[in-house]
Amino acid sequence: MNPALKVWYYAGGRLPQRYRQFVYDDVTGPKWLLRFTVRSLVQVTPLTTVIALALVFGLGSPWPLAIACGALGFVVGLYFALSYAPESVDHRLTKYGYPRGTATQGRRDRNAVQDREKQAKYDAVWRRSEG
């Protein structure tokens, strides 16, 4: 995929349908949450910067107050983005024709073997019958 399209995608843009497999791999891969965080940072940073600059140059606010407001907006925006990350990527996949919940199920399928091994180790240590 061409780098300009990747930048567009991480800035919040929608890719053409032929890249639906790329989007699926992006939201179900091992580092999906890290990529989601980067995408959220790319989307939130310009908006909070514009707000802080508008406070200083447009309204004449003191720059420490404008930076504090911008930082608060940045933290809140990132918090809400990450709070709804699984739902957000599931919704993103529905735009590419996948059924609802495909991303969550894809991650579950990818991690199924590791999860069973972890559960077996846990059960071996903590679920022993003492009789």
Side-chain angles (χ1 to χ4, degrees):
M1 176 189 314
N2 117 25
L5 273 178
K6 276 191 179 181
V7 170
W8 171 251
Y9 174 72
Y10 283 112
R14 185 166 180 207
L15 297 176
Q17 262 321 96
R18 67 178 178 268
Y19 295 108
R20 72 191 297 258
Q21 186 62 43
F22 168 80
V23 175
Y24 177 83
D25 294 338
D26 180 58
V27 300
T28 60
K31 295 183 180 177
W32 75 273
L33 190 57
L34 177 64
R35 288 188 298 275
F36 182 85
T37 304
V38 168
R39 185 179 166 137
S40 298
L41 288 171
V42 168
Q43 293 172 2
V44 170
T45 302
L47 180 61
T48 56
T49 303
V50 166
I51 290 171
L53 291 175
L55 286 172
V56 170
F57 297 113
L59 298 175
S61 298
W63 64 268
L65 178 62
I67 290 173
C69 290
L72 182 61
F74 180 81
V75 169
V76 169
L78 195 58
Y79 173 79
F80 278 106
L82 291 174
S83 294
Y84 297 103
E87 293 85 358
S88 177
V89 296
D90 276 333
H91 179 68
R92 189 180 323 153
L93 280 186
T94 61
K95 294 178 183 178
Y96 290 92
Y98 290 97
R100 185 180 300 211
T102 301
T104 301
Q105 189 60 45
R107 288 189 301 275
R108 279 190 194 131
D109 293 346
R110 181 178 45 83
N111 296 327
V113 173
Q114 292 172 344
D115 290 345
R116 281 193 297 272
E117 290 172 358
K118 287 179 183 177
Q119 187 64 44
K121 287 179 184 178
Y122 177 86
D123 291 345
V125 172
W126 298 104
R127 301 288 181 207
R128 290 185 288 213
S129 61
E130 298 186 26

